[in-house]
Amino acid sequence: MSELSKLYATMMEAIYGETSLAASYIVPGKVLSAAAQLGIYQGSVKGGLVQALGDLFPASKGLLGEQFFDAMASRYVAINPSQSASLDHYGETFPLFMQRFEPLAELPYMPDLASLEWTWHLAFHAASTNAISPDVLTGVPLDQADQLQCILVEPIYLHRSDYPLLELRALGLMTESEVDAVDIASGGGCYVVFRDGLNTQMSQVSPPLYALLEELKKPLSFGTICAQWLSKHPDLELNVYTAELIKRSWIADFRAINN
Amino acid sequence: MSAFKINPKDYHGVGIGLRSAHYQTILADRPDVPWFEALTDNYMNDGGYPLHYLEKIRAHYPITFHGVGLSLGGVDPIDLTYLKRLKALRSQFQPIHFSDHLCWTSHDGRHSNDLLPMPYTQDAVRHVSERIDQVQNSLGEQILVENVSSYLSYTMSDRTEAEFFAEVAQQADCLILCDINNIYVSAKNHGFDALDYLKAMPKARIRELHLAGYEDQGDYLLDTHGEAVHEPVWGLYERALEEYGEIPTLLEWDTNIPDFSVLMQEQSRALNYWTKKQARV
């Protein structure tokens, strides 16, 4: 290992953990000791990552309060160093960490909310596709549904939760003044995170529509998906739900399946 | 390595760092700013709001690209995925040039997302020069490399930062982005003379200057880019214009971002130093 490599390994270890070894590489200052100089970088790196998590999970931070959130985020940062040059990639496993974080045991809805926030972040930065135009839709040979694949617009993410995530998010962000409390016992729902142009949005949908969206994410023919959905929802009209998908601009295309 | 092709009319005066908080104001008011600097790391995603607004703003203004993620001084291999994305961005937006920092940011897959100083040794000169050369060859043009502010120095260093910088620029045949605020912050933190640093830099390679604000932490100065440019930095800037000539200058403000009008006031002040210099000639 080169001298440079040894130095960087020791410094990175110190930045995310102990200072003792790295201090021997650093010239003590007149005012600041080697450990204190290193501490500036430790504070800057860890502080930057904690702040990044706060920016990525603003509703979670709002609900938990800055002090609790930052303390929890610091624990996460200590065991999850950044693995990307871009802070946009940092925090994917934060919801899972929250799930296992003992002090959050009394707040079981928090990991679900954080997971929803992560997908909001992904949708915000994703490339997007347009919804199918009415003209193209009219020409789709739906009588050949077994030979067609229905393509959803991008981005579109699905979430199912036992908790009222939209109300919790609104409370965390305090964007809706009428939301001053959330009844967790009111139950959860099926949520879709999507983009309308540049605007990232979240919407609660009915369980049958959600089930149809789940099926449409699979690489199956539209005919097969319709048949499977109908077998699970024999009392419902499929047309009602496909019409809603079109109305919400969530279908991008129907493509012929290449056999 | 060929020099990048700069159209002088696109690249002069005092530009401003582009931040998302100002997208709407810039598009609505079309302020008199000769060019904006886009932080490439903010536009590495596939789509969405930031890229949309960068496209809109690029339609009206020249831009430069400035990055923090290449880890030029690091020992992990240059991130080719990052470089590929950078090239695609460059092809899409046609910036005047690309710059990154003379520092390291990652090691063995772990990233600091911060600009960490290098040791100033002969080995480090050779090492970082080769990596800058690799990036320049990949991009097909010279890049600008910027000095970082620092809070520590290494026992293994055997030359000054300015000497190190000059050797690297020579060996890598790269250009220099000289951050005046960073020089001042490091000079105060390490107790060297900022003017000596200015004079030791290879003048012919300097293509851009940066100005920003620091935070006085009592025992040291912290480079936060979160305040107006401080008086001693303005003083050093004036000396830099005397030393280097009228070099395109960028105003950066990254945290506690104020109304755009505040940045325009800072730009106006920077331009006053140009006017003063011209009056003396």
Side-chain angles (χ1 to χ4, degrees):
Chain A
M1 192 189 279
S2 70
E3 277 299 306
L4 210 50
S5 196
K6 260 190 257 179
L7 169 68
Y8 290 171
T10 311
M11 282 289 292
M12 193 59 90
E13 200 61 39
I15 282 169
Y16 278 107
E18 297 298 319
T19 64
S20 55
L21 284 176
S24 63
Y25 284 98
I26 297 166
V27 180
K30 285 177 187 157
V31 179
L32 298 177
S33 66
Q37 293 175 64
L38 192 56
I40 297 170
Y41 287 99
Q42 288 171 319
S44 168
V45 171
K46 290 175 183 170
L49 293 175
V50 167
Q51 187 177 333
L53 291 172
D55 292 343
L56 286 169
F57 301 95
S60 300
K61 184 170 180 172
L63 284 183
L64 295 171
E66 188 171 342
Q67 199 177 358
F68 184 97
F69 183 90
D70 286 358
M72 176 175 70
S74 297
R75 295 275 293 275
Y76 176 79
V77 168
I79 54 175
N80 293 281
S82 170
Q83 295 181 322
S84 169
S86 171
L87 285 174
D88 286 337
H89 301 153
Y90 190 66
E92 184 176 8
T93 58
F94 192 53
L96 184 64
F97 171 83
M98 287 169 76
Q99 202 170 21
R100 296 167 181 168
F101 191 58
E102 189 67 23
L104 277 186
E106 300 293 311
L107 307 174
Y109 49 84
M110 287 306 303
D112 274 13
L113 176 62
S115 185
L116 189 77
E117 292 200 277
W118 178 255
T119 50
W120 191 97
H121 165 70
L122 293 180
F124 181 84
H125 288 293
S128 59
T129 53
N130 293 324
I132 192 167
S133 72
D135 287 349
V136 174
L137 185 63
T138 308
V140 173
L142 288 175
D143 55 333
Q144 298 166 33
D146 285 339
Q147 299 302 314
L148 294 173
Q149 189 176 359
C150 176
I151 311 293
L152 295 174
V153 292
E154 295 286 346
I156 192 160
Y157 295 97
L158 308 179
H159 271 275
R160 197 194 296 269
S161 175
D162 294 334
Y163 306 103
L165 296 186
L166 295 190
E167 290 85 347
L168 284 165
R169 181 171 183 268
L171 184 65
L173 295 176
M174 291 194 290
T175 52
E176 295 176 29
S177 55
E178 67 269 23
V179 181
D180 55 12
V182 174
D183 179 10
I184 296 299
S186 65
C190 300
Y191 305 98
V192 180
V193 181
F194 61 102
R195 275 243 306 277
D196 178 9
L198 291 178
N199 297 318
T200 305
Q201 298 193 6
M202 299 178 177
S203 188
Q204 185 165 359
V205 299
S206 66
L209 184 64
Y210 188 88
L212 185 56
L213 285 164
E214 280 187 313
E215 292 298 320
L216 288 169
K217 287 243 171 196
K218 296 173 183 170
L220 299 171
S221 77
F222 188 54
T224 304
I225 285 169
C226 292
Q228 288 179 351
W229 187 88
L230 280 167
S231 70
K232 291 173 190 165
H233 305 88
D235 301 329
L236 298 179
E237 289 284 336
L238 178 62
N239 285 349
V240 171
Y241 295 95
T242 51
E244 189 172 352
L245 289 179
I246 292 164
K247 190 178 163 195
R248 285 178 178 264
S249 300
W250 285 348
I251 292 179
D253 202 2
F254 284 90
R255 288 183 200 147
I257 295 171
N258 296 322
N259 292 318
Chain B
M1 179 58 57
S2 64
F4 54 79
K5 297 170 189 69
I6 294 176
N7 183 343
K9 79 176 174 54
D10 285 347
Y11 190 47
H12 63 90
V14 180
I16 290 180
L18 181 62
R19 302 294 175 263
S20 60
H22 299 140
Y23 289 159
Q24 310 279 4
T25 304
I26 292 165
L27 288 172
D29 299 348
R30 304 275 180 81
D32 186 14
V33 176
W35 45 280
F36 284 98
E37 180 200 82
L39 292 172
T40 45
D41 302 80
N42 291 344
Y43 302 96
M44 290 284 187
N45 292 297
D46 295 330
Y49 183 94
L51 278 170
H52 171 83
Y53 277 99
L54 185 60
E55 270 177 32
K56 293 260 184 199
I57 288 164
R58 177 66 186 94
H60 301 289
Y61 294 94
I63 56 169
T64 57
F65 269 178
H66 188 52
V68 293
L70 266 178
S71 195
L72 288 170
V75 296
D76 286 352
I78 293 279
D79 183 344
L80 297 181
T81 306
Y82 184 98
L83 202 52
K84 188 178 168 189
R85 182 71 189 126
L86 174 61
K87 286 164 84 169
L89 269 182
R90 209 179 51 136
S91 166
Q92 183 180 355
F93 291 101
Q94 302 287 312
I96 296 165
H97 60 66
F98 170 72
S99 57
D100 205 310
H101 300 80
L102 190 62
C103 70
W104 63 286
T105 60
S106 61
H107 183 73
D108 200 17
R110 288 196 286 187
H111 290 253
S112 67
N113 303 102
D114 201 352
L115 307 172
L116 307 172
M118 296 183 66
Y120 306 135
T121 64
Q122 188 58 47
D123 277 352
V125 168
R126 180 194 46 74
H127 174 78
V128 72
S129 300
E130 285 173 5
R131 286 166 67 92
I132 292 170
D133 194 45
Q134 183 190 344
V135 171
Q136 292 186 139
N137 283 329
S138 177
L139 294 176
E141 67 182 24
Q142 284 177 298
I143 65 169
L144 278 65
V145 178
E146 180 183 352
N147 56 302
V148 297
S149 50
S150 65
Y151 315 100
L152 60 78
S153 54
Y154 301 106
T155 51
M156 66 173 70
S157 292
D158 55 18
R159 61 204 70 198
T160 67
E161 181 179 317
E163 288 166 347
F164 179 75
F165 219 111
E167 287 178 69
V168 169
Q170 169 76 25
Q171 280 199 26
D173 191 19
C174 66
L175 300 167
I176 293 175
L177 195 170
C178 184
D179 190 311
I180 304 300
N181 179 61
N182 288 352
I183 293 176
Y184 184 78
V185 166
S186 293
K188 284 291 166 191
N189 289 343
H190 299 300
F192 64 76
D193 187 329
L195 277 177
D196 288 348
Y197 190 116
L198 277 187
K199 287 175 183 167
M201 291 291 261
K203 187 169 146 181
R205 292 184 183 273
I206 296 173
R207 287 292 185 277
E208 189 175 313
L209 306 178
H210 271 189
L211 289 168
Y214 59 77
E215 207 174 280
D216 191 340
Q217 298 285 313
D219 288 340
Y220 63 97
L221 301 184
L222 187 64
D223 177 28
T224 56
H225 293 189
E227 296 184 21
V229 178
H230 288 73
E231 289 305 321
V233 176
W234 283 122
L236 193 59
Y237 178 58
E238 190 170 14
R239 298 297 298 268
L241 291 179
E242 284 167 14
E243 195 69 33
Y244 305 147
E246 290 164 359
I247 303 286
T249 301
L250 181 91
L251 273 162
E252 295 178 296
W253 203 314
D254 296 327
T255 58
N256 303 320
I257 295 173
D259 188 84
F260 194 75
S261 61
V262 176
L263 292 177
M264 290 302 287
Q265 287 164 18
E266 292 280 278
Q267 183 214 33
S268 174
R269 181 162 182 189
L271 284 170
N272 283 342
Y273 288 101
W274 286 51
T275 311
K276 265 173 77 179
K277 182 181 180 297
Q278 283 162 351
R280 280 197 299 271
V281 174

